[in-house]
Amino acid sequence: MTSSSVAPLFVMAVTISTASSFVSQPQPSISSCLKMSDKPEIEVVPQPSQEFLEKKGVFNWGTWGCAASKFPWTYDSNESCYLLQGKVTVTPSDGRKEVTFGKGDFVTFPAGMSCTWDVTEAVEKHFMFF
């Protein structure tokens, strides 16, 4: 055997060993692979206290409402809102968690998020962009 015929066998043995040790290393979970980024999620505070709402100044914010409907929306800035009535499911278009909320819930939406609002019961809310 010449040295040139031995070298490929040695290299192949190293390659197999390297591949084998790679496979035996702990692999990331499916959920960590699916998480594309650390984008902030929609935050829902279910039925906050009157004190919480007063500290935020919610009752001095603007109001908005709509009938049952479904429509796309993009948040150019953060928004917090307090639902006076209604029920909504918001589905982000970028893989963030879908949320459903309703009368008496306080919700904060992150800037830069595009989503679909599915209003299943007419909504009336106090809101503030920040």
PDB file of all heavy atoms in Angstrom, residues 51-66:
ATOM      1  N   GLU A  51     -57.872  49.203  40.677  1.00  0.00           N
ATOM      2  CA  GLU A  51     -56.636  49.937  40.999  1.00  0.00           C
ATOM      3  C   GLU A  51     -55.646  49.870  39.826  1.00  0.00           C
ATOM      4  O   GLU A  51     -55.041  50.878  39.458  1.00  0.00           O
ATOM      5  CB  GLU A  51     -56.000  49.365  42.266  1.00  0.00           C
ATOM      6  CG  GLU A  51     -54.722  50.066  42.665  1.00  0.00           C
ATOM      7  CD  GLU A  51     -54.058  49.452  43.889  1.00  0.00           C
ATOM      8  OE1 GLU A  51     -54.524  48.413  44.392  1.00  0.00           O
ATOM      9  OE2 GLU A  51     -53.051  50.034  44.341  1.00  0.00           O
ATOM     10  N   PHE A  52     -55.481  48.694  39.238  1.00  0.00           N
ATOM     11  CA  PHE A  52     -54.596  48.511  38.081  1.00  0.00           C
ATOM     12  C   PHE A  52     -55.021  49.446  36.949  1.00  0.00           C
ATOM     13  O   PHE A  52     -54.198  50.154  36.370  1.00  0.00           O
ATOM     14  CB  PHE A  52     -54.658  47.047  37.623  1.00  0.00           C
ATOM     15  CG  PHE A  52     -53.917  46.747  36.346  1.00  0.00           C
ATOM     16  CD1 PHE A  52     -52.592  46.321  36.380  1.00  0.00           C
ATOM     17  CD2 PHE A  52     -54.534  46.863  35.108  1.00  0.00           C
ATOM     18  CE1 PHE A  52     -51.905  46.027  35.201  1.00  0.00           C
ATOM     19  CE2 PHE A  52     -53.861  46.581  33.924  1.00  0.00           C
ATOM     20  CZ  PHE A  52     -52.540  46.158  33.981  1.00  0.00           C
ATOM     21  N   LEU A  53     -56.314  49.458  36.643  1.00  0.00           N
ATOM     22  CA  LEU A  53     -56.845  50.271  35.541  1.00  0.00           C
ATOM     23  C   LEU A  53     -56.685  51.761  35.821  1.00  0.00           C
ATOM     24  O   LEU A  53     -56.321  52.535  34.930  1.00  0.00           O
ATOM     25  CB  LEU A  53     -58.309  49.922  35.297  1.00  0.00           C
ATOM     26  CG  LEU A  53     -58.570  48.471  34.860  1.00  0.00           C
ATOM     27  CD1 LEU A  53     -60.069  48.185  34.869  1.00  0.00           C
ATOM     28  CD2 LEU A  53     -57.959  48.184  33.507  1.00  0.00           C
ATOM     29  N   GLU A  54     -56.942  52.178  37.054  1.00  0.00           N
ATOM     30  CA  GLU A  54     -56.795  53.598  37.414  1.00  0.00           C
ATOM     31  C   GLU A  54     -55.346  54.040  37.343  1.00  0.00           C
ATOM     32  O   GLU A  54     -55.056  55.153  36.883  1.00  0.00           O
ATOM     33  CB  GLU A  54     -57.398  53.846  38.797  1.00  0.00           C
ATOM     34  CG  GLU A  54     -58.922  53.771  38.775  1.00  0.00           C
ATOM     35  CD  GLU A  54     -59.570  53.836  40.156  1.00  0.00           C
ATOM     36  OE1 GLU A  54     -58.840  53.943  41.175  1.00  0.00           O
ATOM     37  OE2 GLU A  54     -60.806  53.770  40.208  1.00  0.00           O
ATOM     38  N   LYS A  55     -54.410  53.183  37.778  1.00  0.00           N
ATOM     39  CA  LYS A  55     -52.989  53.533  37.698  1.00  0.00           C
ATOM     40  C   LYS A  55     -52.539  53.726  36.248  1.00  0.00           C
ATOM     41  O   LYS A  55     -51.692  54.558  35.960  1.00  0.00           O
ATOM     42  CB  LYS A  55     -52.128  52.460  38.370  1.00  0.00           C
ATOM     43  CG  LYS A  55     -52.114  52.549  39.869  1.00  0.00           C
ATOM     44  CD  LYS A  55     -51.176  51.518  40.463  1.00  0.00           C
ATOM     45  CE  LYS A  55     -51.169  51.619  41.974  1.00  0.00           C
ATOM     46  NZ  LYS A  55     -50.278  50.623  42.582  1.00  0.00           N
ATOM     47  N   LYS A  56     -53.122  52.962  35.349  1.00  0.00           N
ATOM     48  CA  LYS A  56     -52.798  53.094  33.923  1.00  0.00           C
ATOM     49  C   LYS A  56     -53.497  54.296  33.293  1.00  0.00           C
ATOM     50  O   LYS A  56     -53.117  54.722  32.210  1.00  0.00           O
ATOM     51  CB  LYS A  56     -53.225  51.827  33.162  1.00  0.00           C
ATOM     52  CG  LYS A  56     -52.518  50.561  33.587  1.00  0.00           C
ATOM     53  CD  LYS A  56     -51.265  50.390  32.806  1.00  0.00           C
ATOM     54  CE  LYS A  56     -50.643  49.018  33.086  1.00  0.00           C
ATOM     55  NZ  LYS A  56     -49.262  48.958  32.645  1.00  0.00           N
ATOM     56  N   GLY A  57     -54.531  54.813  33.946  1.00  0.00           N
ATOM     57  CA  GLY A  57     -55.290  55.933  33.387  1.00  0.00           C
ATOM     58  C   GLY A  57     -56.251  55.516  32.287  1.00  0.00           C
ATOM     59  O   GLY A  57     -56.661  56.334  31.454  1.00  0.00           O
ATOM     60  N   VAL A  58     -56.631  54.247  32.284  1.00  0.00           N
ATOM     61  CA  VAL A  58     -57.447  53.669  31.218  1.00  0.00           C
ATOM     62  C   VAL A  58     -58.717  54.459  30.928  1.00  0.00           C
ATOM     63  O   VAL A  58     -59.080  54.645  29.761  1.00  0.00           O
ATOM     64  CB  VAL A  58     -57.797  52.196  31.582  1.00  0.00           C
ATOM     65  CG1 VAL A  58     -58.891  51.645  30.687  1.00  0.00           C
ATOM     66  CG2 VAL A  58     -56.550  51.327  31.504  1.00  0.00           C
ATOM     67  N   PHE A  59     -59.371  54.955  31.950  1.00  0.00           N
ATOM     68  CA  PHE A  59     -60.675  55.602  31.744  1.00  0.00           C
ATOM     69  C   PHE A  59     -60.557  57.004  31.130  1.00  0.00           C
ATOM     70  O   PHE A  59     -61.567  57.616  30.800  1.00  0.00           O
ATOM     71  CB  PHE A  59     -61.465  55.589  33.047  1.00  0.00           C
ATOM     72  CG  PHE A  59     -61.670  54.169  33.541  1.00  0.00           C
ATOM     73  CD1 PHE A  59     -60.989  53.706  34.651  1.00  0.00           C
ATOM     74  CD2 PHE A  59     -62.502  53.295  32.851  1.00  0.00           C
ATOM     75  CE1 PHE A  59     -61.148  52.392  35.082  1.00  0.00           C
ATOM     76  CE2 PHE A  59     -62.665  51.977  33.277  1.00  0.00           C
ATOM     77  CZ  PHE A  59     -61.984  51.519  34.395  1.00  0.00           C
ATOM     78  N   ASN A  60     -59.313  57.476  30.940  1.00  0.00           N
ATOM     79  CA  ASN A  60     -59.072  58.735  30.235  1.00  0.00           C
ATOM     80  C   ASN A  60     -58.619  58.512  28.794  1.00  0.00           C
ATOM     81  O   ASN A  60     -58.362  59.467  28.071  1.00  0.00           O
ATOM     82  CB  ASN A  60     -58.018  59.563  30.980  1.00  0.00           C
ATOM     83  CG  ASN A  60     -58.486  59.964  32.357  1.00  0.00           C
ATOM     84  OD1 ASN A  60     -59.635  60.366  32.536  1.00  0.00           O
ATOM     85  ND2 ASN A  60     -57.613  59.836  33.340  1.00  0.00           N
ATOM     86  N   TRP A  61     -58.476  57.263  28.385  1.00  0.00           N
ATOM     87  CA  TRP A  61     -58.041  56.937  27.037  1.00  0.00           C
ATOM     88  C   TRP A  61     -59.199  57.085  26.056  1.00  0.00           C
ATOM     89  O   TRP A  61     -60.364  57.146  26.448  1.00  0.00           O
ATOM     90  CB  TRP A  61     -57.534  55.503  26.967  1.00  0.00           C
ATOM     91  CG  TRP A  61     -56.304  55.203  27.775  1.00  0.00           C
ATOM     92  CD1 TRP A  61     -55.550  56.081  28.502  1.00  0.00           C
ATOM     93  CD2 TRP A  61     -55.711  53.925  27.949  1.00  0.00           C
ATOM     94  NE1 TRP A  61     -54.507  55.424  29.109  1.00  0.00           N
ATOM     95  CE2 TRP A  61     -54.583  54.089  28.789  1.00  0.00           C
ATOM     96  CE3 TRP A  61     -56.002  52.657  27.490  1.00  0.00           C
ATOM     97  CZ2 TRP A  61     -53.755  53.039  29.158  1.00  0.00           C
ATOM     98  CZ3 TRP A  61     -55.177  51.605  27.854  1.00  0.00           C
ATOM     99  CH2 TRP A  61     -54.070  51.799  28.673  1.00  0.00           C
ATOM    100  N   GLY A  62     -58.880  57.089  24.785  1.00  0.00           N
ATOM    101  CA  GLY A  62     -59.896  57.110  23.740  1.00  0.00           C
ATOM    102  C   GLY A  62     -60.696  55.816  23.723  1.00  0.00           C
ATOM    103  O   GLY A  62     -60.306  54.826  24.356  1.00  0.00           O
ATOM    104  N   THR A  63     -61.802  55.831  23.010  1.00  0.00           N
ATOM    105  CA  THR A  63     -62.606  54.618  22.855  1.00  0.00           C
ATOM    106  C   THR A  63     -62.769  54.299  21.377  1.00  0.00           C
ATOM    107  O   THR A  63     -62.697  55.185  20.510  1.00  0.00           O
ATOM    108  CB  THR A  63     -63.999  54.756  23.511  1.00  0.00           C
ATOM    109  OG1 THR A  63     -64.677  55.857  22.923  1.00  0.00           O
ATOM    110  CG2 THR A  63     -63.892  54.934  25.007  1.00  0.00           C
ATOM    111  N   TRP A  64     -62.974  53.044  21.105  1.00  0.00           N
ATOM    112  CA  TRP A  64     -63.183  52.552  19.744  1.00  0.00           C
ATOM    113  C   TRP A  64     -64.071  51.330  19.819  1.00  0.00           C
ATOM    114  O   TRP A  64     -64.045  50.592  20.818  1.00  0.00           O
ATOM    115  CB  TRP A  64     -61.841  52.192  19.121  1.00  0.00           C
ATOM    116  CG  TRP A  64     -61.931  51.602  17.738  1.00  0.00           C
ATOM    117  CD1 TRP A  64     -62.009  52.284  16.567  1.00  0.00           C
ATOM    118  CD2 TRP A  64     -61.951  50.214  17.397  1.00  0.00           C
ATOM    119  NE1 TRP A  64     -62.065  51.407  15.502  1.00  0.00           N
ATOM    120  CE2 TRP A  64     -62.034  50.123  15.992  1.00  0.00           C
ATOM    121  CE3 TRP A  64     -61.900  49.032  18.136  1.00  0.00           C
ATOM    122  CZ2 TRP A  64     -62.067  48.914  15.310  1.00  0.00           C
ATOM    123  CZ3 TRP A  64     -61.946  47.822  17.468  1.00  0.00           C
ATOM    124  CH2 TRP A  64     -62.024  47.773  16.064  1.00  0.00           C
ATOM    125  N   GLY A  65     -64.837  51.099  18.788  1.00  0.00           N
ATOM    126  CA  GLY A  65     -65.677  49.918  18.753  1.00  0.00           C
ATOM    127  C   GLY A  65     -65.936  49.467  17.336  1.00  0.00           C
ATOM    128  O   GLY A  65     -65.724  50.219  16.380  1.00  0.00           O
ATOM    129  N   CYS A  66     -66.383  48.219  17.206  1.00  0.00           N
ATOM    130  CA  CYS A  66     -66.777  47.695  15.893  1.00  0.00           C
ATOM    131  C   CYS A  66     -67.731  46.528  16.080  1.00  0.00           C
ATOM    132  O   CYS A  66     -67.764  45.903  17.150  1.00  0.00           O
ATOM    133  CB  CYS A  66     -65.567  47.292  15.061  1.00  0.00           C
ATOM    134  SG  CYS A  66     -64.754  45.775  15.552  1.00  0.00           S
TER     135      CYS A  66
END
